[in-house]
C-alpha cells in the first residue's frame, strides 16, 4: 500500500468513526484523539477498521505509534 492509498484509507475510516469531524482541516501532525475528540472506543473502532481494510495486523503495542494521521499513514504505507 502506498502513502496515497494509506491516507485515503485512514480518512475513510476516520469519517466512519467520527462522521461529524471536518477532516479537510486535519493537520497530518495533529493528535487524532484530541483534535477529533476520539474516546478509547472510537480509537479501537478506528484500529479495527484499519486492520481489516489494510490486511495488516495492528497489535496493541503499536497503538502509541498511531497518534496522528501522518503516523498511521507511515505505519500502513
Amino acid at each position: 500500500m502506498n502513502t496515497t492509498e494509506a491516507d485515503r484509507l485512514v480518512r475513510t475510516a476516520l469519517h466512519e468513526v467520527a462522521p461529524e469531524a471536518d477532516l479537510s482541516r486535519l493537520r497530518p501532525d495533529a493528535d487524532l484523539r484530541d483534535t477529533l475528540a476520539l474516546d478509547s472506543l472510537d480509537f479501537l473502532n478506528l484500529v479495527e477498521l484499519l486492520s481489516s481494510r489494510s490486511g495488516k495486523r495492528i497489535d496493541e503495542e503499536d497503538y502509541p505509534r498511531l497518534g496522528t494521521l501522518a503516523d498511521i499513514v507511515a505505519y500502513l504505507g
Side-chain angles (χ1 to χ4, degrees), residues 14-76:
L14 282 170
H15 180 70
E16 290 179 36
V17 171
E20 70 288 344
D22 183 3
L23 299 179
S24 67
R25 295 177 179 240
L26 180 64
R27 292 187 346 258
D29 62 341
D31 183 272
L32 292 177
R33 289 184 179 196
D34 290 340
T35 305
L36 302 179
L38 299 179
D39 61 23
S40 57
L41 186 56
D42 292 332
F43 183 76
L44 288 176
N45 287 335
L46 175 63
V47 169
E48 288 298 319
L49 285 172
L50 294 172
S51 180
S52 68
R53 292 179 182 171
S54 70
K56 181 172 184 159
R57 181 180 167 151
I58 302 173
D59 294 317
E60 188 174 351
E61 63 201 31
D62 292 331
Y63 292 1
R65 297 174 54 195
L66 308 176
T68 69
L69 176 63
D71 291 340
I72 299 173
V73 169
Y75 181 86
L76 295 175

